[in-house]
Amino acid sequence: MDLLRLATAGSVDDGKSTLIGRMLYDSKSIFTDQLEAIERTSRDRGDDYTDLALLTDGLRAEREQGITIDVAYRYFATPKRKFIVADTPGHIQYTRNMVTGASTADVGIVLADARKGLIEQSRRHAFLVSLLQVPHLVLAVNKMDLVDWSEEVYESIRAEFVEFASKLQISDLTVIPMSALKGDNVVERSANMPWYQGAPLLHHLENVHIASDRNLVDVRFPVQYVIRPHQNRNQDYRGYAGQVAGGVLKTGDEVVVLPSGLGTRIAGIETADGPVEEAFAPMSVVLRLEDDLDVSRGDMICRPNNRPSVSQDIDAMVCWMGDSPLVPGRKLAIKHTTRTARTLVKELQYELNINTLHRNQEAVDLRLNEIGRVRLRTTSPLMADEYRRNRATGGFVLIDEATNATVGAGMIVGAD
Amino acid sequence: MKPVAGEEKNPMARTAHSPRYSLSHLKTLEAEAIFIIREVAAELERPALMFSGGKDSIVMLELARRAFAPARIPFPVLHIDTGHNFDEVLEHRDREVKRLGLTLVVGSVQEAIDRGVVREEPNGSRNRIQTAVLLETAEKHGFTALLGGARRDEEKARAKERVFSFRDEFGQWDPKSQRPEVWGLYNTRVHVGESIRVFPISNWTELDIWSYIEQENIEVPSLYYSHRRPVFRRNSMLFAVHRFCQPRPSEEVFEAEIRYRTMGDATLTAAVPSAAATPAQVREEVAGTRLTERGATRGDDQVSEAAMEDRKKEGYF
Ligand SMILES: Nc1nc2c(ncn2[C@@H]2O[C@H](COP(=O)(O)OP(=O)(O)O)[C@@H](O)[C@H]2O)c(=O)[nH]1
């Protein structure tokens, strides 16, 4: 059994909570006491049916306003897979929360209301999924029961979306007509839409191939922590702990440590279960090196003939999450893999309108929830990969040193 | 500008498809938790690991051991002792601390009551008042980061809590000003006076915990497994008769096969009828159960939906 991370996005009332509630309910991940609680609430409110959306209602502020504000995580499992759902709000003022949810997702689900067709928000959600390089996208055309299960309605939405998606970097797109409320094409195949040949959503999620989404080519090992036992029996032991960010590491491999560029070999790869021959993402392991080099947290171990750029000049797309705007000249802290440095915003190249994809080169700042392309200069070099090549070594966060707030999420486009 | 690495159009095109390079869901969760625990040790000044003796904190301790092996866990273990403990839990705690060569710090609720720092609640539960003792003990020892075994599947307010969760000077949680956690890049910075709670097993469910205990052969207190003993029924839950839990005259005592699903305050933690005597049997039972663990066993958590959110805002773990 493996793990699949899912991010869902939809506008208010498209049926996102109902869909998640339905998946939890139909996969028997809902407990009777939880169900009784929402049945009670539904009855008290005078609903005609039990509102499954109540299952995912979180914080009190959200219940009061009837909308999702913050990312919430849900869990369910089938015999094939364990699923982690990042339930993210769809409204533009919560773009940062959607970016957060999508950052680690294997599959993004964008919901659309069949009666309304594609709206600006659906396009924005699809764009964010592609920007964050979520490898698989599902467009769920929901509320098909309200358009008489019409194939024409579905087909026109599908065609329009496929046309739009071709302009984005989306490698795998699946479109599914459904009714989250009635359960059609969520877990069970819909009897109301015999014209739809594809699989129901859950079947798709159970079978979508994700093992090949990880980068197993470029060896990247950000050193996280140096293990030195200070015990009599292990006095000379020195291990470099970290989580593999790319490639396959093997005992005996020739490696270099960046930024120093010093070379050595992997003497052993260890886990608490004992030594292993190979390590790959996302394993957390300890490397021992043949030579006694000066290696510390923030260094990157890779292969001599396949290195990231070691650079202080970074071009990136940044989603701004701070209350006070990003302006050229602003100084911030930057955390990239296990390395933290300071950075100066040298230039704002453009602000990207995430509804129209128009590039506004006249923009003078990036405000909360806006996305733009910036050029940064860092105080110490980063070991940078393009984000589209490796999410783990291509992403970074920006931190305001006065407030300690996380104010930006960046995706590296290039470095020199 | 030159591209960073490689020149193929589809960067993943050469990626191997072999199942040899796929990790099971448990090993993926383990790797994530170990990463988080190491991040705490690397970036935070004085962390401590909260240990209650329950299964989640036992798994946490095991993950911490794995994170630093062959070295020792580089921070102390903190136990808030409600004074209402199952004996087996304390024995287990002391054995583990000794085996792993750890420093144990205990904050005593009883002592805090005696000193007049907190007052006993009318229902006798010490779940709520232990918060004040936790904050006091953490402050006294200068702990700025507390690692805890809370899981997001436990209840709705938790579902929105970050892995690194910030507390103001009063130890309070503000759900509206949480930091976005993008990729695995955790921002661990705190101002003087603030502290962090860190939840490395946020993404685990009760079933994951038991699957892991089974797979990795982890020892947990015997109370988690089925045993026969005198019990009585109260509020439609089963309570075992022991030092902290005596039947009222109207409550009939009978023998039953039970086990504990959680280890909370011993005066209020109910048992469940069960014949599951091994980790595999418990795992199967949990997979089929239709009641949440809190709903099934916590006499004081059923009060209201918002109860946990309110408690967390006060600084509850
Ligand atoms: N008829 C119909 N109604 C639906 C469907 N899915 C959701 N709804 C209803 O649409 C409303 C909004 O759904 P909800 O799940 O709360 O939307 P969210 O804001 O996206 O989470 C609720 O009244 C649902 O019962 C569907 O497939 N068909």
Side-chain angles (χ1 to χ4, degrees), chain A residues 351-369:
Chain A
E351 185 245 320
L352 187 70
N353 181 313
I354 56 176
N355 290 320
T356 61
L357 304 188
H358 172 74
R359 297 176 177 186
N360 175 13
Q361 262 132 3
E362 319 292 79
V364 294
D365 60 15
L366 275 189
R367 290 163 186 273
L368 178 64
N369 292 311

Side-chain angles (χ1 to χ4, degrees), chain A residues 10-19 49 51 53 66 68 142-146 178-182:
Chain A
S11 313
V12 180
D13 282 347
D14 280 351
K16 194 163 53 71
S17 312
T18 308
L19 175 63
Y49 47 83
D51 186 359
T68 316
N142 191 33
K143 305 200 184 184
M144 286 299 293
D145 54 307
L146 298 180
M178 69 176 65
S179 168
L181 185 67
K182 315 258 167 182

Side-chain angles (χ1 to χ4, degrees), chain A residues 1-3 5 28 30-34 37 54-55 57-63 68 70-75 82 84 96-97 99-100 103-104 132 209 211-217 220 224-225 227-229 231 234 237 241-243 248 250 272-273 278 280 282-286 297 307 309 315 321 333 335-338 340 373 375 384-391 395-397 399 401-406 409-411 414-416, chain B residues 1-12 14-32 34-43 62 65-72 74 152-154 156-157 159-162 173 175-176 178-191 194 202-208 216 261 286-287 289-296 304-307 309-310 313:
Chain A
M1 184 151 105
D2 61 357
L3 181 70
R5 293 177 204 256
K28 305 207 165 40
I30 296 302
F31 297 100
T32 10
D33 46 332
Q34 292 173 316
L54 288 170
L55 283 171
D57 268 3
L59 302 170
R60 186 178 299 165
E62 302 180 334
R63 283 199 294 279
T68 316
D70 211 330
V71 190
Y73 294 89
R74 324 274 170 210
Y75 305 87
K82 173 186 165 101
I84 301 181
R96 65 170 165 182
N97 295 338
V99 165
T100 302
S103 69
T104 52
L132 271 292
H209 192 68
S212 55
D213 296 335
R214 275 168 306 132
N215 182 323
L216 292 172
V217 176
R220 300 287 185 266
Q224 190 187 7
Y225 188 86
I227 293 180
R228 258 166 311 194
Q231 288 158 0
N234 276 315
Y237 183 95
Q243 188 166 25
V248 179
K250 295 189 175 71
D273 297 324
E278 296 181 322
F280 51 91
M283 287 169 72
S284 281
V285 297
V286 177
R297 175 173 165 87
R307 309 179 183 207
S309 294
D315 282 296
M321 302 168 155
K335 188 169 184 186
H336 170 258
T337 67
T338 54
T340 301
R373 180 157 162 158
R375 170 157 267 237
D385 285 306
E386 258 184 288
Y387 181 77
R388 65 179 204 107
R389 192 168 175 94
N390 191 327
R391 290 209 269 179
F396 60 82
V397 292
I399 296 164
E401 290 186 291
T403 64
N404 285 338
T406 303
M411 287 146 279
D416 54 22
Chain B
M1 186 183 330
K2 69 178 159 63
V4 177
E7 62 277 359
E8 313 94 307
K9 245 187 117 203
N10 175 359
M12 302 303 160
R14 285 186 298 148
T15 302
H17 278 253
S18 165
R20 177 165 152 210
Y21 298 120
S22 89
L23 212 55
S24 75
H25 83 288
L26 286 179
K27 283 294 176 188
T28 305
L29 292 173
E30 177 191 66
E32 175 183 81
I34 287 176
F35 175 82
I36 293 163
I37 293 168
R38 286 174 177 160
E39 207 61 8
V40 168
E43 292 211 338
E62 173 61 14
R65 183 189 74 75
R66 288 172 183 231
F68 304 106
R72 284 200 188 106
R152 287 189 182 129
D153 78 322
E154 283 178 87
K156 282 182 182 177
K160 305 224 162 181
E161 189 160 13
R162 301 288 189 263
W173 180 54
K176 289 201 204 76
Q178 302 197 79
R179 295 176 182 170
E181 287 181 344
V182 199
W183 303 293
L185 296 170
Y186 299 104
N187 170 0
T188 61
R189 294 179 183 220
V190 281
H191 289 293
E194 292 173 341
S202 286
N203 286 328
W204 299 47
T205 61
E206 186 187 13
L207 184 57
D208 295 328
E216 307 293 332
R261 239 176 116 182
V286 168
T289 186
R290 306 306 315 142
L291 275 185
T292 61
E293 47 183 330
R294 283 178 187 276
S304 93
E305 283 221 307
E309 190 178 334
D310 291 341
K313 284 187 187 157

